[in-house]
Amino acid sequence: MFIITYRNILFVLTGLLVVASLAAFGMFGLNIGTDFTGGALVEVRYDGEKPTSEALHSSLSEAGLESVSVRGAGDDSYIIRAASLSPEARTALPGAIANGTIEKLTDIGPTVGAELRTKALLAMALVITCIVLYVAFVFRKVSQPVSSWWYGLITIVTLLHDVIVPIGAFALFGWLWGAQVDVLFVTAILTILGFSVHDTIVVFDRVRENLSLNQDNNRKEDFALVAGRSIEQTFVRSVNTSVTVLISLLALFFLGPVATQDFALTLIIGIVVGAYSSIAIAIPLLVTVAKRQGK
C-alpha cells in the first residue's frame, strides 16, 4: 500500500524525470547514425598491434572524416561509421588507419537511410497500436470500477515513459561522448516495449484476478486496497525478473564487444525504468482513474 498511498509523490518524480528527458532531447537532439542519415561504413583489419578506438577516432577526425563512430569487431578489426566521405577524406583514409587494411568500404545512400528511419518509426507505431488493442481485448471483462480501455491507455502512458527516458539519456550521451542512434538502438527500444508491457500486464492481470475473487465471494473492497495487494503479490517477481535480466546486460556491457555497448546500455536503462513504471506508474494511475470516476 506504500506505493498507492504516496502515488502523488511518485507522479511528481516521474514527471520530473520525463521533463528532464525531454529537455535533454530538446537541447542536444539525437546524434543520428549513418544507418538513418546515409554515409560510409568501413571495416578495417589489423595484422599487428591494433590501436585503441580513441586513437583511431582521433586520427580519422584529423583526416577530415565527420560524425565518426568506431566500434570493435573481434580481436583484430574495427567497424567505422562516418558521414559521406568527401574526395579528400577518401584519399586520406588509408593513412588515417595507419597499418590497418580496409576490408570493406560501403557507401550508404541517404535514400536508404530515410527508408530505414521511416520503417523504424512505423514499426514502433505499429507495436504501440497492437499493444493498446491487445490489452483492451484481454481486459474487456473488467469494466468495474475502471473500463478496460483505461488499462490499454495507461499501458501506453507507461510505454511512452519507458521510451522517452532512454531517448533523453541518449541525447545526453550523444552530447557527452558522441553516442549514436542506429538500428541497434531502435531494436533495443522495441525490446524495451515488449518487456515493459509484459511486466505491466502481469500486474494488471493480478488486479483482474483479485477483482474476480471479490466478485465471486460477493465481497466489496475499495479498489485502492485491491491494487495495493496486487502490487505486493507481484512486486518480488517483477524485481527478480528485472534483476536477472540486468545481470546479463551488465555482463554484456562490461565484457562484451564495443559494438554492443550502446545496445546493452539502452536496454539497461529501459529495463530499470520499465520495472519502475509497471509498479509505480501503471497501478497508481488505475487507482487515480477509479477514484475520479467514483466522484
Side-chain angles (χ1 to χ4, degrees):
M1 286 298 295
F2 174 85
I3 292 175
I4 301 300
T5 303
Y6 296 98
R7 62 185 182 277
N8 289 331
I9 296 178
L10 293 174
F11 290 159
V12 172
L13 293 176
T14 302
L16 292 175
L17 181 61
V18 171
V19 169
S21 300
L22 292 175
F25 175 73
M27 291 172 60
F28 309 124
L30 292 175
N31 186 14
I32 306 298
T34 56
D35 289 345
F36 300 129
T37 61
L41 177 65
V42 186
E43 182 177 345
V44 180
R45 181 176 57 82
Y46 290 87
D47 294 326
E49 183 180 357
K50 187 173 74 168
T52 64
S53 58
E54 293 80 8
L56 183 57
H57 186 284
S58 177
S59 177
L60 292 168
S61 298
E62 291 175 359
L65 277 72
E66 300 178 351
S67 302
V68 178
S69 170
V70 178
R71 292 182 177 178
D75 296 331
D76 61 351
S77 299
Y78 280 115
I79 300 294
I80 301 169
R81 297 175 185 270
S84 298
L85 300 180
S86 64
E88 294 79 10
R90 192 178 294 270
T91 302
L93 178 60
I97 62 175
N99 60 334
T101 302
I102 298 177
E103 295 289 313
K104 182 172 64 175
L105 174 57
T106 305
D107 290 316
I108 304 173
T111 302
V112 176
E115 183 180 355
L116 284 174
R117 183 170 62 249
T118 302
K119 287 184 176 180
L121 294 174
L122 181 61
M124 294 179 64
L126 184 60
V127 167
I128 291 175
T129 302
C130 290
I131 287 172
V132 173
L133 296 176
Y134 172 75
V135 173
F137 176 78
V138 169
F139 292 92
R140 66 192 184 281
K141 296 183 180 180
V142 182
S143 57
Q144 294 295 333
V146 180
S147 171
S148 62
W149 283 104
W150 275 108
Y151 288 84
L153 293 175
I154 290 174
T155 301
I156 293 305
V157 171
T158 61
L159 290 180
L160 289 175
H161 167 270
D162 299 344
V163 169
I164 288 172
V165 174
I167 288 177
F170 259 74
L172 179 62
F173 297 158
W175 178 67
L176 290 175
W177 61 73
Q180 292 187 347
V181 172
D182 52 16
V183 171
L184 279 180
F185 179 82
V186 175
T187 304
I189 292 295
L190 292 175
T191 305
I192 291 168
L193 290 177
F195 187 91
S196 175
V197 73
H198 169 267
D199 221 16
T200 302
I201 286 179
V202 167
V203 185
F204 280 175
D205 203 48
R206 186 53 60 93
V207 173
R208 179 178 63 174
E209 290 176 1
N210 287 329
L211 289 174
S212 298
L213 286 174
N214 285 348
Q215 186 177 5
D216 294 340
N217 297 325
N218 198 24
R219 181 176 57 195
K220 293 184 178 180
E221 190 176 21
D222 186 71
F223 184 71
L225 295 176
V226 176
R229 187 166 67 253
S230 301
I231 292 177
E232 293 173 357
Q233 293 170 344
T234 56
F235 183 82
V236 174
R237 176 201 173 281
S238 297
V239 171
N240 287 341
T241 302
S242 300
V243 170
T244 303
V245 176
L246 283 175
I247 291 173
S248 303
L249 292 175
L250 288 171
L252 178 62
F253 179 78
F254 288 108
L255 304 178
V258 178
T260 60
Q261 281 188 339
D262 287 351
F263 174 74
L265 181 59
T266 308
L267 286 176
I268 289 171
I269 297 172
I271 295 302
V272 171
V273 298
Y276 166 81
S277 66
S278 63
I279 295 172
I281 300 178
I283 298 298
L285 278 176
L286 270 181
V287 174
T288 301
V289 170
K291 287 185 175 296
R292 290 188 177 182
Q293 287 186 345
K295 292 181 180 180

